[in-house]
Amino acid sequence: MIKISLRFTFLTFIISLLYACVAPPVKERIKIVPVSEPAVPVPVIMEEPEQKVLKPVQQEVLVLLSSSASVYQQIADYLTKKLGEQAVQITLSGVSAQDRAVIRDIEASSTVQIVAIGLKALNAVKDFKEKQVIYTQVIRHKSITANNVKGVSALPSPEKLFRDWKILSPGLSKVAVITGKNLDLFLKRVKKAARVQGIELIVEQVNSDKGFVYKSKKLRADVGGQWILPDNQILSGKALKEVMAYASRRGREIVVFSPKLLPFGGFFYVNPDLEAVANGILQRLSESEGKTTIPGSRVLPVMEHDMGINQNIARQFNLSIPQNYRKYISGK
């Protein structure tokens, strides 16, 4: 019995030693659990910088106007309405010293996106390296090649113009466009749009209003139409009236850029739809948010235009205005 008791005591001692050796590791594993817990929120911490990148969506947009001209103001007002408190309007005064001070302040500001309306506004900000400049109401833009300076077209859609013209005058087959220099980008669209409608396009480029008058009078007799663009490089009031009077005597349809020219013999006028222009600007602002450059083509085309038809000229050409175009009759 004593031997059994001794064996039992010895066995108990051995088990206690084993337990003492095994137990600590179990406690170690239990302690590992709180050590791993701080790693759980790490992904949430990593997401914070990504959320900060989205903040420029609310950044300020400066709308800079060349002057208080009605067309400029209409575009600016539409932008301000859509952008709300994000938009700040500034109109250049025409006083050199004052405007230079304003431009210096703009360049030094934290504002990244600038909308320049008109050539004067564009020239004031086009060399800013750390800004995005989106411009409109500028016809010539060949010299602008920076990827942070891009435009929205200030000229009517040739695609829609030739489609409308062909509907109003189905027999039209040849059209002339006489412009100043450096409109190559737009003229590519004009040529393609005319070709789609089966119209032969004659393009002449001149340097002055005298050249405009001369080339207009030298057009072949079979040229049935002439589209006059709002190109102040080659146009003057005198030249316009002379060309339109000459075309009227020759039975040539003239498309102009202002309702004020219809009484001088214009068949119809077309102007870019200002709301469509403003929406093009908003599109470019949105697409370039948070970027250093502005994506897309140099000049974003505007595919809609306003128009007005001179019913008296239509009658002279024995043209019947389709019912769905009668709402465009000027003076109605």
Side-chain angles (χ1 to χ4, degrees), residues 64-117:
L64 184 65
L65 290 75
S66 293
S67 72
S68 57
S70 175
V71 172
Y72 298 166
Q73 195 63 59
Q74 286 179 62
I75 295 172
D77 288 347
Y78 184 86
L79 291 173
T80 302
K81 180 181 177 182
K82 290 293 182 180
L83 293 169
E85 294 181 357
Q86 284 177 258
V88 174
Q89 272 192 49
I90 296 178
T91 302
L92 294 175
S93 66
V95 179
S96 298
Q98 184 176 325
D99 288 343
R100 282 196 299 271
V102 168
I103 298 308
R104 283 196 299 270
D105 288 345
I106 293 171
E107 187 173 16
S109 74
S110 60
T111 300
V112 175
Q113 294 186 312
I114 301 172
V115 176
I117 305 179

Side-chain angles (χ1 to χ4, degrees), residues 13 17 39 63 100 114 120 127 130 160 192 194 231 277 282:
F13 176 72
L17 286 174
V63 182
R100 282 196 299 271
I114 301 172
K120 186 178 177 181
D127 295 324
E130 306 301 323
K160 181 166 172 50
K192 182 179 179 181
D231 187 352
V277 170
L282 292 170

